[in-house]
Amino acid sequence: MKEKTLNKLTRTIYLLNVLDGGNIDIPREAEELGVTVRTIQRDILNLEAAGIPLYKVKPGTYSFTEGFSLKKLQLSKEELSALVLLLELARPFGAKFENVISHLNQRLMRPLENAPYYFQISATPYAKSPITQALEQAVTTHTAVYLTFAADPSKKLNYYLEPLKLVYSNGFWYILGLNSRKQIKTLRLDRILDIRNTQERFTPSKTALNALKSSTNVFFNEQTQKRVVLAIKADIAPYFEKRDYFPRQKIITKAKDGSITLETTISQDEEVLLPLMPWLPNIRIVEPLSLKHTLHGMLQKYLQQN
C-alpha cells in the first residue's frame, strides 16, 4: 500500500510539472511513466476534483486554464500533490470527510493576491495558438522543430531549433533554444509564422539553461567573455548592494561617500545596456570603452530623433 501511495504521489508531482510547462498528452505521459492510459485519465480526474483548473485542449490533451500557474499559489508542487492524494484517500470515509478536505484544498490553493505580499510582474500571457501549443509540446518533449520566422514580413527566415524555454522579457514572449550550430537563438513568438515538428529528440543544453538562469533578459549566449566595470553613485548604490541587477555582478570597491564600483561579465552588450537605462544618469560605464561608445551613440541618436 505504501509503495502504491508513493507511486501516485510521484506521478502527480510529475504531471503538475508537465502542466506548469505546457500540455499533458495522456498517451505520451502513460508511455513515459510506464502505466496505462486509464491510470493517467484517473490522475486527471483527481486533479480536477482537487480544484485544479484544467482546460481540455483536445481529446487526450489538457493544460492549465489560461492565467493559472503554480507560481501564483502559496503551495509548492509537492504540497499540492499531497493535497490531491489526500482528497483521494478521503473518499472511502464518506462525503462529509471528503467535503472537509475539498474545502481545505480551496483555502490552501487561494491565489497569491489574497496573501499578504505582492509581486509586480507585468507578464501578459501569450495567445494560445497551434504555434504556441506546438512549441509547448516541443519544449516538454525535447523535440526539435523547424520554424519560419519574420522580423520583417518581407524577409522570412527558416530555423532549425531545439526549443528549451518559453521566456517573457521586456514586454514580449520569446522561444529560446539552440540552432543547428548549437548557438543560442531567441525568437519572438508573435513573429513566428509557421512550425513543423521534426520528431527528432535532443538532450537539453544544461550550459544554455544555466546561462538563462543568470541572465537579466533574453539577450545573451553561452559565452561570457567581456568584463564590464560600472561606477554607481551613492544615491542608488544600496539597491545594487541588495540585489543583482546585472548577470554575475560583484562589488569591487565602496567609497566613503557610499558610491560603489561593480564588475560583471557579459556575452552581449544588451545584458548591461537594458537594465542600466532606468538608472541614468546615476550610473556610469567605466570599461570597456567600446560599451561606453555604444551607449553614447544610442543616446545621441535618440536626442537627434527627438
Side-chain angles (χ1 to χ4, degrees), residues 53-94:
L54 297 180
Y55 168 70
K56 189 174 183 180
V57 179
K58 60 182 181 180
T61 303
Y62 292 82
S63 70
F64 284 147
T65 57
E66 187 172 346
F68 181 82
S69 169
L70 298 184
K71 299 178 182 67
K72 295 183 179 180
L73 300 183
Q74 303 176 59
L75 301 170
S76 68
K77 287 187 281 287
E78 291 75 18
E79 291 168 336
L80 183 54
S81 301
L83 282 177
V84 173
L85 185 58
L86 181 60
L87 181 62
E88 185 179 8
L89 294 174
R91 286 179 187 141
F93 295 93

Side-chain angles (χ1 to χ4, degrees), residues 276-295:
L276 173 150
M277 291 294 185
W279 299 102
L280 295 176
N282 294 310
I283 188 167
R284 178 173 57 87
I285 298 172
V286 178
E287 59 177 90
L289 286 176
S290 60
L291 186 61
K292 182 185 292 189
H293 292 155
T294 299
L295 177 60

Side-chain angles (χ1 to χ4, degrees), residues 74-255:
Q74 303 176 59
L75 301 170
S76 68
K77 287 187 281 287
E78 291 75 18
E79 291 168 336
L80 183 54
S81 301
L83 282 177
V84 173
L85 185 58
L86 181 60
L87 181 62
E88 185 179 8
L89 294 174
R91 286 179 187 141
F93 295 93
K96 184 177 180 180
F97 192 63
E98 184 179 352
N99 289 339
V100 170
I101 300 301
S102 180
H103 182 63
L104 176 64
N105 282 5
Q106 292 173 13
R107 291 178 59 191
L108 289 175
M109 287 199 296
R110 186 176 299 152
L112 285 178
E113 55 261 26
N114 297 323
Y117 36 81
Y118 176 70
F119 298 98
Q120 189 177 40
I121 303 174
S122 55
T124 304
Y126 53 81
K128 291 284 185 178
S129 69
I131 288 176
T132 59
Q133 289 176 357
L135 283 172
E136 290 170 0
Q137 183 175 6
V139 170
T140 304
T141 60
H142 313 314
T143 308
V145 297
Y146 283 112
L147 297 174
T148 302
F149 178 85
D152 179 337
S154 65
K155 298 177 182 178
K156 296 181 182 180
L157 300 173
N158 295 317
Y159 285 98
Y160 167 91
L161 195 73
E162 296 177 355
L164 298 173
K165 291 290 180 182
L166 289 156
V167 182
Y168 182 82
S169 178
N170 298 308
F172 293 97
W173 280 96
Y174 298 81
I175 182 66
L176 181 141
L178 302 185
N179 64 13
S180 58
R181 292 181 289 178
K182 302 300 180 182
Q183 298 169 323
I184 290 179
K185 296 293 297 183
T186 51
L187 305 173
R188 266 176 50 180
L189 293 193
D190 59 325
R191 292 175 170 174
I192 297 174
L193 306 178
D194 192 24
I195 183 171
R196 179 168 62 86
N197 196 310
T198 67
Q199 304 301 324
E200 175 187 330
R201 294 294 185 98
F202 65 88
T203 301
S205 166
K206 291 183 179 179
T207 305
L209 291 172
N210 287 335
L212 172 62
K213 289 178 183 178
S214 63
S215 69
T216 57
N217 52 56
V218 296
F219 301 103
F220 71 94
N221 57 51
E222 296 179 22
Q223 305 301 318
T224 55
Q225 300 174 340
K226 186 185 295 185
R227 178 175 179 265
V228 175
V229 178
L230 303 168
I232 300 172
K233 291 185 177 180
D235 290 346
I236 64 170
Y239 294 98
F240 292 85
E241 292 177 300
K242 296 293 184 181
R243 174 190 160 187
D244 291 344
Y245 279 88
F246 302 101
R248 299 165 292 277
Q249 78 174 43
K250 180 173 66 174
I251 296 173
I252 51 178
T253 64
K254 183 172 182 178

